[in-house]
């Protein structure tokens, strides 16, 4: 979707955002920038500014901390996201959720399509919806196409937890929040999550709260 003409050019907006240094402020749900969709990246930032912006996204994601961050989450309506997951979780969680380490990656103009029909449902959260988590059923495996930060073609199959991360982040670029796809009866505060829903799988939560699992 085109930027309204009264907006400053994206490069100017990003320069202003980066001027303060350090982690960028994260936009919360309710801000229209999270709902408008994004422009395809097509050189709106020159390569030096793109590199600085990507580094700022990386720093912001780590500081949050999070495992993915999309440009609209810092108020920039460009089709760019970053992902990285050290996956420091207990073994039983890693096995049940397929939460394997995902190295740092930059996704430029990504889109995904399902591979096969298998779906998996787990609690997830979003840095733009702080304090809450909900169960989302997602494709277990997706093919992600797009580019990297150097403009090289990206065409890769992601599985399990990394597949969940790339779906969540790519959805942000289309103006979709995880809550749009969530089982709303599973919605749980961080406090309740820590008290009750630390199991590797959400089966007990599904029974207690009354929502379906795939
Ligand atoms: Zn998110």
């Amino acid at each position: 979707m085109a930027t309204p003409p009264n907006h400053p050019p994206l490069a100017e907006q990003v320069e202003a955002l980066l001027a303060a240094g350090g982690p960028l402020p994260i936009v919360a749900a309710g801000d229209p920038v999270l709902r408008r969709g994004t422009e395809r990246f097509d050189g709106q930032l020159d390569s030096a500014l793109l590199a600085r912006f990507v580094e700022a996204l990386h720093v912001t994601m780590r500081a949050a901390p999070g495992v993915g961050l999309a440009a609209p989450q810092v108020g920039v309506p460009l089709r760019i996201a970053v992902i990285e997951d050290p996956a420091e979780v207990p073994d039983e969680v890693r096995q049940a959720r397929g939460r394997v380490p995902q190295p740092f990656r930059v996704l430029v103009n990504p889109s995904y399509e399902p591979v096969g029909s298998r779906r998996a449902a787990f609690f997830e959260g979003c840095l733009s919806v702080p304090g809450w988590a909900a169960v989302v059923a997602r494709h277990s495996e997706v093919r992600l196409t797009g580019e990297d930060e150097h403009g090289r073609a990206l065409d890769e199959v992601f599985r399990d937890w990394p597949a969940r991360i790339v779906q969540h982040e790519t959805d942000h670029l289309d103006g979709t929040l995880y809550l749009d796809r969530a089982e709303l009866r599973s919605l749980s505060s961080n406090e309740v999550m820590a008290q009750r829903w630390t199991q590797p799988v959400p089966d007990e939560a599904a029974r207690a709260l009354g929502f379906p699992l795939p």
Side-chain angles (χ1 to χ4, degrees):
M1 197 166 168
T3 308
N6 59 343
H7 272 215
L10 281 164
E12 237 172 80
Q13 185 194 341
V14 170
E15 284 283 10
L17 197 58
L18 299 182
L24 305 172
I26 295 178
V27 168
D31 191 312
V33 74
L34 291 172
R35 292 307 199 172
R36 270 190 223 118
T38 49
E39 276 183 44
R40 279 184 66 79
F41 179 73
D42 187 22
Q44 294 94 331
L45 316 180
D46 66 30
S47 59
L49 184 55
L50 176 63
R52 287 170 56 215
F53 180 53
V54 161
E55 178 55 22
L57 288 175
H58 193 181
V59 165
T60 305
M61 172 176 65
R62 281 191 166 176
V67 297
L69 187 67
Q73 292 183 276
V74 296
V76 176
L78 274 176
R79 202 165 180 84
I80 297 173
V82 295
I83 60 172
E84 181 182 49
D85 185 9
E88 282 155 1
V89 293
D91 275 352
E92 57 166 3
V93 170
R94 173 165 311 156
Q95 303 224 323
R97 299 181 193 170
R99 188 161 172 187
V100 294
Q102 169 62 54
F104 177 69
R105 296 284 293 274
V106 181
L107 312 178
V108 176
N109 299 327
S111 55
Y112 67 83
E113 58 186 49
V115 176
S117 57
R118 207 160 56 89
R119 292 170 76 80
F122 293 106
F123 276 102
E124 66 182 68
C126 177
L127 296 175
S128 294
V129 190
W132 298 92
V135 170
V136 188
R138 292 194 183 272
H139 307 297
S140 298
E141 203 169 319
V142 294
R143 178 183 176 193
L144 190 80
T145 53
E147 298 144 42
D148 70 8
E149 67 273 41
H150 306 293
R152 291 181 295 229
L154 169 75
D155 183 346
E156 195 173 326
V157 172
F158 288 78
R159 294 181 185 81
D160 299 322
W161 206 264
R164 177 168 298 269
I165 297 171
V166 300
Q167 289 171 82
H168 180 120
E169 299 312 325
T170 304
D171 284 353
H172 269 302
L173 303 176
D174 293 321
T176 297
L177 295 178
Y178 85 102
L179 289 173
D180 302 339
R181 302 188 186 282
E183 290 294 344
L184 286 183
R185 291 187 65 104
S186 71
L187 187 66
S188 300
S189 71
N190 284 354
E191 195 179 11
V192 171
M193 284 297 293
Q195 284 166 353
R196 292 181 181 273
W197 308 134
T198 55
Q199 305 84 6
V201 296
D203 297 54
E204 198 181 322
R207 279 191 295 275
L209 300 176
F211 61 87
L213 291 173

